[in-house]
Amino acid sequence: MSRELTIPSGDTRLFALEDPGGDPAVLFLSGGFGTVQNWNRVVSGLAAKHRAVRFDARARGKSGRSADYTAQAAVEDVGRVIDATGIERPILVGWSYGATIAVRYAAQQPRRVGGLVLVDGAYPISMFDEAGKQKVRAQFRRLGWMMRILAAFGRSARMSPAESADVVIEMDAVNGELRADFAALECPAVFVLGTGGHSGATDEEMRTVRAAVSDAVETNPRVSVFATAPRKHTQILSKAPETVVAAIEDVVETVSLRA
C-alpha cells in the first residue's frame, strides 16, 4: 500500500507517494501538468520489485502552489524528494517534461542517479520561434477553464494560463540546451519513443522532435533508444506501461553489470 508523504520545498510543499520494494529505487517525474496518478499502471507493473517514489510537482495534483515554477526549481525538487525519502542512486523515470528535468538533474548531480528512463521527452531540440511562443500562450488562454476544472479534482495544475505557458516555453528552451547535459551523463539512459501527435503538436512536428533523439545518442555512448511504443504521447503510460517497465528493468540490469 502506498505511503503518503509531505515534503517541504522552498515556499511550498510537495505531495509524494512511496510504494515498498527492493533496490534500486525508482523515482518517477511526471509530465508538465501530470500527477502521481499518471504512473499507477507503471507502478503496478513493477509488482513491488523496486521501491517506487512519485510526487506531484509544484501546483500539480496535491502539491502546494509556489512563486517559482522554473525548470531549475523543478530540478532542485528532485534532490529534495531524494533526501526526504532516503533513496540512494535511484533510477529516474521521466515522462515528457519530467524527462527533461531528469536529464538536467542527472547532469548536475551525477553521483546521485543510477540511471534514466526517458519516456517521449528530453529530445535535445528547441521548436519555438516568437510566433510559436504566442501560439502556446493563446492555447493556454483557451484551455484555462478546463485546467481549472481538472485541478479541482487533483488531475492538473493549479496555475494561471500565463504560468502554464511559461512552463512549456521554458521547457522548449531547456530542451534546446540538452546536448551538453547528455554529454555530461555518467549513468545509462534509455529512451522510450511515442508515435503520432498530441494536442500541442502535429504528427509532423512530433516526428521532427523525436528525430532529435539521434543527437542525444551521438553525444554519449551511455544513451540509447530502448523501444518505440505504438502509442501517442499522452497514452504511453496508460496504454503501454509494460514497455516502460521493461525499459526500467533494462537500465537496472545495465547498472548491475557495471557495478
Side-chain angles (χ1 to χ4, degrees), residues 14-60:
L14 305 176
F15 172 79
L17 292 176
E18 180 181 5
D19 290 84
D23 291 326
V26 180
L27 177 57
F28 296 95
L29 309 183
S30 299
F33 308 105
T35 73
V36 294
Q37 302 304 321
N38 295 125
W39 297 103
N40 286 348
R41 293 190 177 183
V42 176
V43 172
S44 177
L46 287 177
K49 187 173 181 180
H50 301 281
R51 184 179 174 191
V53 177
R54 43 193 160 140
F55 69 99
D56 288 330
R58 299 179 183 209
R60 283 76 150 183

Side-chain angles (χ1 to χ4, degrees), residues 29-30 55 70-72 74-76 78 92 96-107 122 174-175 178:
L29 309 183
S30 299
F55 69 99
T70 61
Q72 187 56 37
V75 169
E76 291 168 3
V78 175
L92 302 188
S96 191
Y97 177 86
T100 298
I101 299 304
V103 172
R104 179 133 290 184
Y105 181 81
V174 172
N175 284 341
L178 281 186

Side-chain angles (χ1 to χ4, degrees), residues 51-158:
R51 184 179 174 191
V53 177
R54 43 193 160 140
F55 69 99
D56 288 330
R58 299 179 183 209
R60 283 76 150 183
K62 296 182 180 180
S63 288
R65 286 179 51 80
S66 172
D68 188 355
Y69 299 119
T70 61
Q72 187 56 37
V75 169
E76 291 168 3
D77 283 346
V78 175
R80 292 185 177 102
V81 173
I82 290 174
D83 289 339
T85 55
I87 54 179
E88 296 183 2
R89 294 184 60 82
I91 308 300
L92 302 188
V93 183
W95 169 51
S96 191
Y97 177 86
T100 298
I101 299 304
V103 172
R104 179 133 290 184
Y105 181 81
Q108 292 181 7
Q109 301 288 343
R111 296 176 182 270
R112 305 199 75 190
V113 179
L116 300 175
V117 175
L118 309 173
V119 184
D120 212 27
Y123 300 113
I125 183 174
S126 178
M127 295 289 287
F128 296 154
D129 56 13
E130 192 55 40
K133 294 176 185 178
Q134 293 307 314
K135 180 180 177 182
V136 170
R137 297 190 189 284
Q139 181 183 37
F140 278 102
R141 285 194 293 270
R142 290 194 303 270
L143 293 175
W145 67 272
M146 183 183 299
M147 291 184 70
R148 286 193 296 273
I149 292 173
L150 291 173
F153 292 94
R155 308 294 292 186
S156 187
R158 297 185 309 284

